[in-house]
């Protein structure tokens, strides 16, 4: 399906398919929108990213959806992307934001065989960032969802990361001891619940009594507020034989402690190292010199997990997680910033606050930013 732009207006070549390109709420799709753009490479999100107004609303190709974003997810690795660490060949300016959920407001002819205008979809993308009012999403990577609820957004990256990594690398079985670091965070909450479903004994670390209460509500066997309890001493005293599976996202000293806490034949799964992301190198120092000897002594393993390498498992993981949520067997905790100093995260300009909020360790659950749209206005 082709679009033409003339004299500042848009026309659809084949009007018999015009219904595929109408805003589902009856108002015209605007010509311009706001979006966040990386304008210089830096791990400092505020320095790297600019809110641009009056950007052209992108047009969907034959197999694409145009999604009006209603909620977008914040990830620790957003600043890795703004620093250019994932793709060194990528030069500013480029779009940013990994995940979004919203309604289809326009779509190409091929995409219309599977989707309709007004349908709720969620998606993960690197090509066209989600930190925008409208995003073009290939229909092949979109996930239909029952409604535009932020809870579904929590599953896209955080939920699937926990599910696939534990399934593929964790080798969970009944009675195993599992340690989840940053357990009350966006992905930690799922690692705790999925490990409990596998009938494991789950230990979760967190940084406040409020998060401690949240972990208890998830059924965490031994939540630990490391600000009030000495974590190394607790693990040594209460788990003298070590931990079978460790789901680790903090890095630095926490990684060192995780290695020391492994049981014989234990598995340490590295899904991130947030403690170092804001540094110039993106890394926090670890005592890795003795790592080979420690692993050999315990026949233990350390393995990294990066979701991009497991997309063949993605759709099955999403299907299973959506079913668990629909049955009421999975809690998807969303943090919309109700307790943030300046209030809820509403609008693209609040993405900057939301990223800071994450790096201050304030969030419980997945941080989500709402992008409100008026029914009858163009934005």
């Amino acid at each position: 399906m082709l679009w033409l732009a003339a004299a500042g207006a848009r026309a659809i070549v084949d009007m018999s398919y015009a219904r595929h390109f109408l805003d589902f709420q009856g108002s015209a799709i605007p010509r311009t929108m706001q979006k966040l753009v990386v304008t210089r490479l830096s791990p400092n999100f505020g320095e790297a990213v600019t809110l641009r107004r009056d950007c052209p609303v992108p047009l969907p190709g034959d197999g694409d959806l145009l999604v009006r974003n209603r909620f977008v997810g914040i990830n620790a690795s957003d600043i890795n992307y703004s620093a250019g660490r994932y793709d060194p060949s990528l030069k500013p300016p480029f779009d940013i934001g990994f995940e979004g959920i919203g309604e289809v407001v326009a779509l190409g002819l091929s995409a219309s065989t599977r989707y309709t205008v007004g349908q709720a979809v969620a998606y993960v993308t690197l090509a066209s960032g989600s930190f925008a009012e409208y995003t073009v999403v290939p229909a092949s990577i979109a996930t239909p969802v029952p409604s535009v609820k932020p809870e579904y957004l929590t599953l896209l990256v955080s939920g699937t990361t926990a599910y696939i990594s534990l399934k593929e690398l964790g080798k969970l079985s009944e009675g195993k001891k599992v340690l989840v670091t940053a357990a009350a965070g966006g992905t930690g909450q799922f690692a705790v619940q999925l490990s409990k479903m596998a009938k494991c004994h789950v230990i979760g670390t967190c940084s406040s009594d409020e998060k401690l209460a949240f972990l208890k509500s998830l059924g965490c066997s031994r939540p630990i507020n490391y600000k009030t309890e000495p974590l190394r001493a607790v693990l040594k005293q209460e788990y003298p034989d070590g931990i079978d599976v460790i789901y680790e996202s903090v890095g630095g000293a926490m990684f060192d402690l995780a290695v020391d806490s492994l049981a014989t034949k234990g598995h340490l799964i590295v899904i991130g190292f947030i403690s170092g992301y804001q540094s110039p190198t993106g890394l926090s120092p670890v005592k890795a010199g003795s790592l080979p000897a420690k692993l050999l002594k315990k026949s233990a393993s350390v393995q990294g997990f990066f979701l991009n390498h497991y997309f063949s498992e993605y759709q099955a993981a999403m299907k299973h997680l959506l079913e668990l949520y629909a049955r009421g067997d999975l809690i998807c905790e969303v943090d919309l910033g109700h307790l943030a100093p300046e209030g809820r995260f509403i609008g693209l300009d609040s993405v900057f606050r939301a990223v800071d909020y994450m790096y201050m360790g304030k969030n419980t659950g997945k941080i989500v930013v709402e992008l409100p749209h008026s029914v009858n206005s163009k934005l």
Side-chain angles (χ1 to χ4, degrees):
M1 184 60 62
L2 298 175
W3 290 67
L4 295 179
R10 288 180 174 175
I12 299 160
V13 175
D14 185 346
M15 292 304 294
S16 65
Y17 294 107
R19 64 185 180 85
H20 295 306
F21 296 92
L22 295 177
D23 180 285
F24 86 99
Q25 291 178 329
S27 60
I29 298 170
R31 288 195 295 271
T32 61
M33 68 172 186
Q34 298 181 18
K35 68 176 179 177
L36 295 187
V37 178
V38 176
T39 50
R40 56 168 290 197
L41 299 182
S42 171
N44 182 318
F45 193 84
E47 293 180 357
V49 178
T50 302
L51 173 61
R52 286 191 171 170
R53 308 174 195 276
D54 298 322
C55 298
V57 172
L59 303 176
D62 180 60
D64 296 333
L65 312 173
L66 179 63
V67 178
R68 182 165 61 188
N69 295 313
R70 292 281 300 282
F71 296 96
V72 295
I74 304 298
N75 292 280
S77 49
D78 287 331
I79 70 172
N80 286 331
Y81 200 62
S82 72
R85 291 172 182 151
Y86 287 159
D87 184 358
S89 68
L90 202 57
K91 305 300 180 189
F94 54 86
D95 297 341
I96 189 168
F98 295 139
E99 55 191 342
I101 184 171
E103 303 99 346
V104 176
V105 293
L107 69 170
L109 183 58
S110 295
S112 71
T113 63
R114 295 173 52 204
Y115 292 91
T116 60
V117 167
Q119 187 169 0
V121 296
Y123 65 90
V124 178
T125 182
L126 282 178
S128 50
S130 68
F131 293 163
E133 289 175 316
Y134 293 82
T135 300
V136 167
V137 180
S140 58
I141 68 167
T143 299
V145 289
S147 62
V148 180
K149 288 177 60 176
E151 284 78 7
Y152 295 121
L153 185 62
T154 68
L155 302 175
L156 290 173
V157 173
S158 300
T160 56
T161 293
Y163 179 84
I164 299 172
S165 64
L166 289 171
K167 178 175 177 284
E168 297 293 320
L169 310 180
K171 301 179 175 62
L172 301 184
S173 60
E174 184 173 356
K176 283 196 173 182
K177 295 183 287 293
V178 178
L179 170 64
V180 180
T181 63
T187 183
Q189 64 171 324
F190 295 112
V192 169
Q193 293 179 82
L194 294 168
S195 299
K196 287 297 295 183
M197 289 177 196
K199 299 182 178 179
C200 296
H201 176 93
V202 185
I203 308 138
T205 71
C206 64
S207 59
S208 72
D209 288 340
E210 291 77 16
K211 294 182 182 184
L212 200 73
F214 172 62
L215 291 179
K216 289 178 180 177
S217 75
L218 297 182
C220 185
S221 313
R222 179 59 166 101
I224 303 171
N225 177 356
Y226 60 82
K227 295 286 184 70
T228 59
E229 290 190 85
L231 183 56
R232 182 178 290 273
V234 169
L235 294 179
K236 187 174 182 179
Q237 179 178 345
E238 298 183 20
Y239 304 96
D241 295 327
I243 312 296
D244 301 302
V245 179
I246 302 179
Y247 182 90
E248 217 293 275
S249 61
V250 177
M254 186 67 80
F255 173 84
D256 292 328
L257 175 55
V259 170
D260 292 342
S261 301
L262 280 169
T264 299
K265 299 183 182 178
H267 305 292
L268 171 52
I269 304 170
V270 176
I271 64 126
F273 32 91
I274 188 173
S275 63
Y277 290 170
Q278 291 180 300
S279 69
T281 62
L283 297 168
S284 47
V286 296
K287 300 174 182 176
S290 58
L291 182 61
K294 289 180 178 180
L295 297 179
L296 179 63
K297 183 179 179 181
K298 296 179 178 178
S299 293
S301 68
V302 175
Q303 189 163 355
F305 177 88
F306 190 45
L307 184 61
N308 288 23
H309 299 146
Y310 288 85
F311 274 147
S312 61
E313 311 286 329
Y314 185 84
Q315 291 300 333
M318 271 299 293
K319 181 175 183 291
H320 184 67
L321 291 168
L322 285 168
E323 289 171 354
L324 288 174
Y325 179 68
R327 293 201 306 262
D329 293 334
L330 190 68
I331 293 171
C332 300
E333 185 71 13
V334 173
D335 192 330
L336 284 160
H338 292 90
L339 300 179
E342 296 176 48
R344 286 184 57 175
F345 304 129
I346 299 177
L348 285 172
D349 55 345
S350 69
V351 168
F352 298 95
R353 284 199 300 120
V355 170
D356 289 342
Y357 185 75
M358 168 176 282
Y359 277 91
M360 288 187 292
K362 299 295 186 181
N363 61 296
T364 298
K366 174 81 176 183
I367 301 179
V368 174
V369 173
E370 181 179 1
L371 305 183
H373 289 270
S374 174
V375 171
N376 294 316
S377 70
K378 289 195 170 186
L379 277 179

